[in-house]
Amino acid sequence: MKVYTKTGDEGKTSLLSKERIFKDSVRVHAYGTVDEANAAMGLAKSLTNRQWAIDIIHPIQQELILLNADLATAEVTENSTYRITHTHVERLEKIIDQLEERRIPQHYFVTPGGTQASAALDLARTIVRRAERYIVRLKRTETVNTPVALYVNRLSDLLFVLARCVEQEELITQVTQIVMQVLQEAKQADGGKSDMLEKAKKLIAAAEKKALEINVPMVIAVVDAGGNLVAHERMDDALLASVSIALNKAYTAVALKMSTEQAAAVAQPGQSLYGINTTDGCRLVIFGGGIPIWENGVLIGGIGVSGGSVDEDMSVAKAGLEALQ
């Protein structure tokens, strides 16, 4: 069957009763406008990824086809059976009530266009309003199934609240994505400072495990890239002197951007950093146990360990760093 039939070339079309009427009649305007609204709802459905909204829109689109069949029925007899009933109207009212419960109250006139899907729903709403005006005009002179007029009236209200619910959800999603992107960029910009505490916990746990294995109570300190303390742990029976020494080792590793073992080598008499341990308030430590923490080539902090021999301190500090690899 061809799409074009040429039967409407004279400006007339057929109703379901086969009656021929002019295409610009109020009845044709009415069901033609409902068809237009259906298309706009289809656009909204294609623009949203909210499955709950699609589950509302699609059945209504199918009901609009039935509603148009009622509008295309001009002759009414005792045996006439309408397709749209009060049950359909009540279902729309129930959906409206459910949507109102989830909608954020708005005490101002809405400007359409917050999101693409909500804009399409608002467009469908205005088209439904126009269809309702044609139906009201048609009822003055011809018979129209009462639930049809009620259905169209409720549909415009439903589309309004549906547009608001879809809009608020999509805007919340957009804002959340923007915030998460900003946080991620900030995290990358600060070289991992934002999760330094989590890293410090892992470092200390791994270092403590190693200290237990060699049976030497240790003090373990972790600082950030500015030399500020992030986490500090003193194992039972660790030397009190090690509390400040461990912290200063971590600070030294960051301040000099080298391990305290390396600092010891260049701080010997005749070397380039001889006497450096007497500067900076004597905070700089020049024996092993302090190591800088690098991530993707960026200095993010330092770890300092004290409590055993130099070799023991170094082995525990290195064990801690392995937790980040």
Side-chain angles (χ1 to χ4, degrees):
M1 182 177 178
K2 292 183 177 181
V3 173
Y4 61 91
T5 62
K6 301 183 180 181
T7 58
D9 291 353
E10 300 301 322
K12 287 189 175 183
T13 188
S14 295
L15 299 178
L16 290 183
S17 62
K18 306 301 182 182
E19 176 187 352
R20 302 287 292 177
I21 62 173
F22 283 103
K23 292 180 179 180
D24 63 351
S25 71
V26 178
R27 185 175 292 277
V28 176
H29 270 303
Y31 65 69
T33 306
V34 170
D35 188 37
E36 185 180 343
N38 199 337
M41 290 178 65
L43 175 62
K45 184 173 67 175
S46 71
L47 291 174
T48 184
N49 58 1
R50 310 289 160 177
Q51 187 59 48
W52 63 265
I54 295 173
D55 291 341
I56 291 174
I57 295 171
H58 188 73
I60 293 175
Q61 287 185 281
Q62 294 176 316
E63 290 176 356
L64 288 181
I65 296 174
L66 301 179
L67 185 142
N68 265 354
D70 280 353
L71 284 175
T73 302
E75 294 183 356
V76 180
T77 66
E78 294 181 356
N79 298 323
S80 295
T81 301
Y82 290 114
R83 299 156 186 83
I84 296 298
T85 67
H86 286 284
T87 300
H88 293 93
V89 177
E90 291 169 359
R91 192 180 72 85
L92 292 189
E93 292 173 347
K94 183 177 180 180
I95 295 174
I96 292 171
D97 292 339
Q98 293 171 344
L99 290 173
E100 282 285 37
E101 291 180 359
R102 68 194 298 175
R103 180 170 75 97
I104 299 174
Q106 295 165 291
H107 305 289
Y108 51 86
F109 286 106
V110 173
T111 301
T115 66
Q116 291 182 330
S118 68
L121 287 168
D122 279 319
L123 175 62
R125 171 180 56 82
T126 61
I127 297 173
V128 169
R129 287 292 192 192
R130 174 152 49 89
E132 182 182 14
R133 292 193 292 272
Y134 280 124
I135 292 171
V136 169
R137 185 187 303 176
L138 179 64
K139 287 178 63 177
R140 293 177 184 172
T141 57
E142 299 184 49
T143 301
V144 176
N145 178 23
T146 299
V148 164
L150 296 176
Y151 186 99
V152 173
N153 177 269
R154 300 299 189 276
L155 179 56
S156 62
D157 293 333
L158 185 150
L159 290 172
F160 175 79
V161 292
L162 179 58
R164 304 290 72 77
C165 289
V166 167
E167 185 174 69
Q168 72 186 30
E169 279 202 11
E170 292 184 349
L171 288 176
I172 289 173
T173 299
Q174 291 175 14
V175 170
T176 301
Q177 291 174 343
I178 292 173
V179 170
M180 293 303 295
Q181 181 179 354
V182 171
L183 292 176
Q184 183 63 30
E185 291 175 352
K187 180 178 178 180
Q188 293 174 350
D190 72 3
K193 293 178 185 176
S194 58
D195 62 350
M196 192 60 199
L197 178 58
E198 192 63 31
K199 289 183 172 64
K201 291 178 180 178
K202 292 180 179 179
L203 286 164
I204 290 175
E208 182 181 3
K209 181 180 179 181
K210 179 65 174 179
L212 290 171
E213 289 177 359
I214 62 176
N215 196 31
V216 178
M218 298 281 194
V219 176
I220 307 156
V222 176
V223 299
D224 63 18
N228 304 299
L229 179 64
V230 176
H232 202 178
E233 178 174 288
R234 175 176 178 258
M235 297 173 63
D236 291 341
D237 296 325
L239 299 173
L240 290 178
S242 294
V243 173
S244 60
I245 294 174
L247 177 58
N248 288 340
K249 283 184 179 182
Y251 172 82
T252 301
V254 170
L256 299 181
K257 296 184 178 181
M258 65 175 69
S259 70
T260 53
E261 177 188 10
Q262 292 173 307
V266 295
Q268 298 301 316
Q271 299 299 315
S272 59
L273 295 183
Y274 175 63
I276 193 172
N277 54 301
T278 63
T279 65
D280 198 5
C282 295
R283 287 194 65 186
L284 300 179
V285 178
I286 56 170
F287 50 90
I291 305 175
I293 304 169
W294 300 89
E295 186 173 79
N296 299 323
V298 177
L299 179 67
I300 64 171
I303 181 173
V305 175
S306 177
S309 67
V310 170
D311 289 339
E312 289 171 337
D313 289 353
M314 290 170 52
S315 67
V316 170
K318 290 177 180 177
L321 282 179
E322 289 176 359
L324 299 184
Q325 296 176 357

